[in-house]
Amino acid sequence: MTTVTKPRGPLDPTPAAPERRILGWRWEVLFALSFVPLVIGAFHLNQMLFVGDWSFWADWKDRQWWPLLTPALGIIIPAAVQYIAWDRLRVPIGATVCAVCLVIGEWLSRYFNFDWWAHIPIAYTWPETFLLAAIILDVILLVSRSYVITAVLGGLAWGILFWFFNFPLLAPYLQAVNFHGTLLTVADTMGFEISRTQTPEYLRIIEEGHLRALVSNITIVVALFAGMLSAAVYFFGLLIGKYLAVWPIGKFFKLRTS
C-alpha cells in the first residue's frame, strides 16, 4: 500500500522545532575557561579604581571609609554577573563566583606585586573578602526570584555584614598600643614602619580624631549606611549586566539553558 504525503498548507499547524544547542560543549568549556579570568580582571580592576589604598593597606582599613566604600562599590560587578547568570541561565551563583574570582585575583596581586616584587609583607596588604556576603546575596535571589527584593534585602546584608565578616582578619590590627606616649592601634604603627606618600596625610587625619582609635558605635552607623548605599548601587550593576553584556550578546546568539 502506497502512502501519499499531503503537502502541508499555510494553515496547517507546524510542529515545534526541536531544541538545539547554539554552542557545542567545546565552546562551552572555552567560554567557562575565559569567563573566570574575565571576572577576575573586571572585579579586581573595579576594586583598585574605586577603593584603592583602603583595600591595599591594613592601616587604611579604618572604620569610616573602608567599610563604606568597599562594599558599596564592590557590589557593581557581582550584580552584573548575577543578572547574566540568573536572567539567562537560571544559575544563582553569580555573586559567589565573583567573590571567589576576586579572592584569587587579590591574593595573586598581593603575593606577586607586593610580597615578591616590592618586598612588602602580606600582613601589611592582606585583601578583604566578600565570599559570605555574596552567598547571602545569591540565596536571597534564589528564594525571592526578585531583583527588587535582592537589592533591598541582599544589598543591606552585603553592606552591613561586610565589616563583621572581615572583622576576624582585622581584629588583631585594632589592638591598642602606647606608641611613644600616644594611644594608637597596631595598624596605625604600621605606617611608621613602611612610609608611603599618603602616610603623612593619613596620620594627620588620625591625630585629628576623624578616623579611629578604637572600634566604637560609629562602626554600626557606617555599616548601616553602607548597606543602604549597596542596595542603591545594586541596580546600577544590574543595568551594566543587562545593557552592556546581555543585550549586545543577544544580537549574535541567545544565551539559554540546554
Side-chain angles (χ1 to χ4, degrees):
M1 182 177 180
T2 304
T3 302
V4 179
T5 303
K6 181 181 178 182
R8 187 173 298 276
L11 299 179
D12 294 336
T14 303
E19 184 78 11
R20 292 184 300 175
R21 302 175 64 141
I22 302 300
L23 300 177
W25 68 270
R26 293 181 179 86
W27 286 101
E28 293 177 353
V29 172
L30 180 62
F31 174 78
L33 294 177
S34 61
F35 177 78
V36 172
L38 178 63
V39 174
I40 291 177
F43 205 174
H44 184 266
L45 181 62
N46 178 82
Q47 294 303 101
M48 296 305 100
L49 288 178
F50 294 124
V51 183
D53 288 318
W54 288 293
S55 179
F56 280 143
W57 310 106
D59 56 340
W60 277 66
K61 289 180 170 65
D62 54 71
R63 61 190 177 97
Q64 272 191 349
W65 299 112
W66 177 67
L68 174 62
L69 296 180
T70 306
L73 298 175
I75 201 174
I76 297 176
I77 303 300
V81 177
Q82 191 181 57
Y83 177 86
I84 299 171
W86 178 254
D87 188 76
R88 293 301 184 222
L89 303 176
R90 278 298 183 266
V91 179
I93 59 172
T96 305
V97 169
C98 286
V100 173
C101 290
L102 181 65
V103 169
I104 297 173
E106 292 280 16
W107 277 106
L108 289 176
S109 173
R110 298 307 196 268
Y111 178 77
F112 290 104
N113 294 342
F114 288 90
D115 186 48
W116 181 74
W117 182 265
H119 303 290
I120 299 176
I122 295 180
Y124 283 67
T125 60
W126 53 271
E128 63 278 342
T129 178
F130 291 99
L131 188 56
L132 295 177
I135 293 176
I136 294 176
L137 193 68
D138 282 332
V139 169
I140 292 177
L141 178 62
L142 176 63
V143 174
S144 66
R145 299 176 180 267
S146 170
Y147 294 116
V148 176
I149 297 178
T150 304
V152 176
L153 299 182
L156 286 174
W158 176 281
I160 293 174
L161 299 179
F162 171 78
W163 166 269
F164 301 98
F165 286 156
N166 286 275
F167 184 77
L169 297 173
L170 187 63
Y173 299 89
L174 297 178
Q175 302 302 312
V177 295
N178 188 337
F179 189 79
H180 299 292
T182 303
L183 181 63
L184 298 176
T185 63
V186 174
D188 296 336
T189 61
M190 295 168 62
F192 295 99
E193 300 297 330
I194 299 181
S195 298
R196 302 178 297 275
T197 56
Q198 303 91 342
T199 300
E201 176 67 15
Y202 182 75
L203 291 178
R204 183 188 65 79
I205 297 175
I206 290 178
E207 291 173 355
E208 291 181 356
H210 289 173
L211 291 180
R212 80 216 183 285
L214 298 173
V215 177
S216 61
N217 295 331
I218 194 174
T219 303
I220 307 299
V221 177
V222 173
L224 290 174
F225 185 62
M228 293 185 291
L229 193 59
S230 299
V233 177
Y234 180 85
F235 289 102
F236 180 70
L238 289 182
L239 295 178
I240 292 179
K242 182 176 183 179
Y243 294 107
L244 295 183
V246 173
W247 183 78
I249 293 177
K251 294 296 182 179
F252 300 98
F253 63 91
K254 183 178 181 181
L255 290 173
R256 63 168 181 249
T257 56
S258 58

